[in-house]
Amino acid sequence: MCIRDRVSTQSTGFQTQQDGSMSAAENDGTLALRATINEALASFSDQTALFCAERLYAETRAAEDLRLLCTCYMRMGQEARAYRLLKLHRNASTPTHPQNLFLLAKVCFQLKHFDEAEAVLTGAPRSAQRAEFDAGRAELPNGSYGLELLGEICRRTGRSGKAVEYFTQAVQLNPAHWSAFQALCDLGGGASAEAMSAMPSIQGAVQRLHADATPDVSRGLFADSPAGSLLFTPGSGYAPSPAHSTPFNEGPRVPPPVVPRARPSRGSDHVSTRGSSLFSETRQTRSRTAAGSDWFRTLSRAYAMLSQYMLPNVLEEVDSLEAQHANTPWCLALQGRAHFEMTNYKLAAKSFKAALALDPLCTEAIDVYSTTLWQLKLELDLSQLAQEVIQDNRRCPQAWCVLGNCFSLQQDHDSAIKFFDRAVQLDPYYSTAYTLCGHEQAANEEHDKSLSYYRNAIRHDERNYKAWFGLGTVYQRQEKHEAAELHFLHAIEIHPGSSVLHCWLGIVRDEAHAYQSALQSLETAIELNPKNPIARFKRAKVLMQLDHTAEAVDELLELQAVEPKEAELYLQLGRAYKKLGEHHSARLQLMLAWDLDPKNSNRIKAEMEQLDNPGLDLDGV
């Protein structure tokens, strides 16, 4: 019997018994008991709700009351009890209601029984080789939320492509389904036409749901709730709205494409062209229309752009919001993340600080804020942040990352590793914690351990460009230049606007004596961030290798004006003047380098001796 057949009698208010019969009517005591359970759950009196739910299910044996009882178990962290009870009900002779199937799949997912969760959702078990299967069920339980759960299962089992497909279908089916859209963006699907154009204003999303559905007020809260609410009102039925049931075999329907608006280049900007007229209003018009329900569309577009590292566009979207939305912790954290990825650390710190002033434990802000403070070397601020976030938040993995960054800045790498490992224990899928732990292991020169952490980070998030970068730096230290270049290129593919990544690609190509390609990479890094001193210094060294010494001297002199106390600049400039035959200028630069860095006097002295004995070759020193 298909799902619609099983729920076609929902408007009569039946209760399903274990023997398959239907109760004639619900007595007043049953209705009152359901109301008591809902009130207790809403008031977070979970023990009261559980006690009453057990009595209710003992009396009615109804499918909806079974789900209510298992909901109470899950609220109290007793997923295993819910799992056993739902399994017993499913193994009985009566058909299991689709909402209970969804709940069973959810419990299986939380217990990490991923194969079983997928089989429950689809009605078709998979082989041990994870071969794709044909759907054995006409419709997926709980509509877009069933699709989202299926996407999460695929994500956890290493099938990112299928996960993107299911998240896309979930957003297509329910444009207001934010968590599915967020997951889609995190997997790299945020710039697709399917994702970005499926997000209208919140009013439009709700109107679309109501237009697709055929609401019946006699069915109660549960039947009409887009979420398939865990709470039940007296007499509520089970039938999911047609807007939230999807044929399982149906592929994603592709809406018209939407491309972000163009914007003048700035920093690490990647300018995009103006696209569909739906989203192509001018800035002045959008400043007016972002009010009210359009915040949903604006924020969805901003998050999608952040996932694609279209960072200046993210800031423009947030700026277009009205104050009541722009000045919220989530939006301020989004703004901070955009500044952070653009290496505007002071602006990032300002945004994160504003977010934490409104919500001191904002999880979207605290870990990246701590890394921002690490980059700024603000040890006191980072220590204060660590104390504040860990005090009442010891079950939060982001808080332990803050503590780890604090000890990392103090060069206590072993303690930092312990705290990052604690974050991993709390959330085994937290890719950032693995990456940070990899950095600390690399600082301890534990290269094999750092490689393991970076690979685990990528296993849980294939788009974690920092982990790909970390792998590249380890291979670069091991002088495995080809492997290092490959991993840097993969990181750049994810975040093409990063000046740092292009700079490191140029460095490893320089070390591999591929000077022309190194110069190209370094010039790209400088184009993305003209203030990148390392890229400019490395470019000058490569220019000398290519016998463009005069141009290298100009670059080094400009850098000296910016960094007048950097001894390495004077040393390199001395070498450049020596190569041009200007020995007097070379000696002057080397003496200045000696004054700035007396500890390196032997190296500088050897360079000066070569001026008097040109037969010595110290270019490689």
Side-chain angles (χ1 to χ4, degrees), residues 211-245:
D212 290 343
T214 55
D216 183 348
V217 294
S218 66
R219 288 157 48 190
L221 173 64
F222 173 65
D224 293 329
S225 169
S229 173
L230 291 180
L231 304 182
F232 296 85
T233 56
S236 64
Y238 266 106
S241 159
H244 291 274
S245 294

Side-chain angles (χ1 to χ4, degrees), residues 87 97 137 233 396 434 445 448 482 547 566 578 617:
K87 286 272 288 184
H97 195 279
R137 185 178 306 281
T233 56
C396 174
Y434 288 104
E445 298 187 357
D448 289 340
E482 186 176 350
D547 292 328
E566 183 58 56
K578 179 191 71 175
D617 183 9

Side-chain angles (χ1 to χ4, degrees), residues 325-391:
H325 288 290
N327 296 327
T328 57
W330 193 91
C331 291
L332 290 168
L334 188 75
Q335 189 178 59
R337 287 181 61 189
H339 284 305
F340 174 84
E341 296 294 350
M342 294 171 68
T343 67
N344 296 331
Y345 296 126
K346 291 183 178 180
L347 291 175
K350 183 179 179 182
S351 295
F352 288 132
K353 189 173 182 179
L356 294 178
L358 298 171
D359 179 2
L361 299 179
C362 177
T363 55
E364 292 83 8
I366 56 177
D367 56 347
V368 187
Y369 183 32
S370 69
T371 304
T372 303
L373 297 176
W374 190 98
Q375 293 286 354
L376 294 171
K377 309 303 178 188
L378 297 176
E379 187 173 328
L380 184 61
D381 291 348
L382 184 51
S383 178
Q384 182 179 357
L385 176 66
Q387 293 177 22
E388 291 174 353
V389 300
I390 203 65
Q391 184 175 4

Side-chain angles (χ1 to χ4, degrees), residues 400-540:
W400 289 98
C401 283
V402 176
L403 206 56
N405 275 331
C406 181
F407 279 86
S408 174
L409 187 56
Q410 299 171 19
Q411 302 301 311
D412 187 351
H413 302 298
D414 291 335
S415 296
I417 290 169
K418 291 179 182 178
F419 294 127
F420 292 138
D421 275 337
R422 176 57 179 156
V424 169
Q425 289 174 0
L426 291 170
D427 183 359
Y429 303 101
Y430 186 25
S431 180
T432 297
Y434 288 104
T435 305
L436 293 172
C437 217
H439 293 340
E440 298 307 304
Q441 295 287 6
N444 278 343
E445 298 187 357
E446 295 282 356
H447 296 315
D448 289 340
K449 291 181 180 179
S450 65
L451 289 173
S452 177
Y453 276 109
Y454 288 137
R455 287 166 182 155
N456 275 325
I458 292 169
R459 183 162 60 90
H460 296 300
D461 181 5
E462 295 176 359
R463 301 190 70 250
N464 184 343
Y465 77 87
K466 298 180 183 70
W468 288 103
F469 168 76
L471 286 171
T473 58
V474 173
Y475 287 127
Q476 184 253 349
R477 292 175 185 175
Q478 296 175 335
E479 297 185 357
K480 298 178 180 178
H481 299 126
E482 186 176 350
E485 180 177 0
L486 179 65
H487 286 83
F488 287 144
L489 284 171
H490 202 114
I492 289 171
E493 183 180 347
I494 298 168
H495 186 0
S498 171
S499 175
V500 174
L501 295 178
H502 285 281
C503 178
W504 275 90
L505 179 61
I507 290 171
V508 77
R509 284 174 169 174
D510 175 30
E511 293 175 353
H513 307 296
Y515 298 123
Q516 286 291 348
S517 57
L519 182 62
Q520 181 181 1
S521 296
L522 292 167
E523 288 180 342
T524 301
I526 295 168
E527 181 182 353
L528 291 169
N529 182 8
K531 296 181 180 180
N532 187 334
I534 297 177
R536 296 180 65 184
F537 176 70
K538 294 294 184 180
R539 176 178 178 271

